[in-house]
Amino acid sequence: MIRISRIIWEKTSNYDFVRKALIYVLPVAGLLGVTVPTLFGLINLTMLGIYLAIPMISAPLIYYAVFIKRADPEDIEIIGA
């Protein structure tokens, strides 16, 4: 696992590695922030976790839709072609 992360770290810049890590970690942390208090029966903490989970789950999806899809050259439509 550490060996794989070192290979990824060397192939990409620091910004790209952190960006990719946050895209995968934020939704998982958001889901854990809601499910773990629910499993322990802490409903008040679950409600508080929902306020944080919604942006944590939606932010990587919006980032992917806006920035990654926009940079894809296959999605660019050329007018008059």
Side-chain angles (χ1 to χ4, degrees):
M1 185 75 169
I2 295 172
R3 186 174 164 199
I4 294 171
S5 63
R6 282 186 191 161
I7 293 171
I8 294 171
W9 183 266
E10 290 172 359
K11 287 184 179 180
T12 61
S13 68
N14 295 343
Y15 175 75
D16 288 336
F17 180 77
V18 171
R19 178 181 55 86
K20 289 177 184 177
L22 285 177
I23 285 175
Y24 293 110
V25 170
L26 279 177
V28 173
L31 290 174
L32 285 175
V34 174
T35 56
V36 171
T38 305
L39 292 175
F40 288 117
L42 303 171
I43 302 302
N44 291 336
L45 194 56
T46 301
M47 296 300 287
L48 184 61
I50 290 173
Y51 287 112
L52 293 173
I54 292 172
M56 289 174 76
I57 293 170
S58 62
L61 296 175
I62 294 170
Y63 178 82
Y64 180 78
V66 171
F67 293 107
I68 304 295
K69 286 290 191 177
R70 186 183 295 174
D72 190 10
E74 294 177 2
D75 289 341
I76 298 174
E77 296 179 13
I78 299 174
I79 300 173

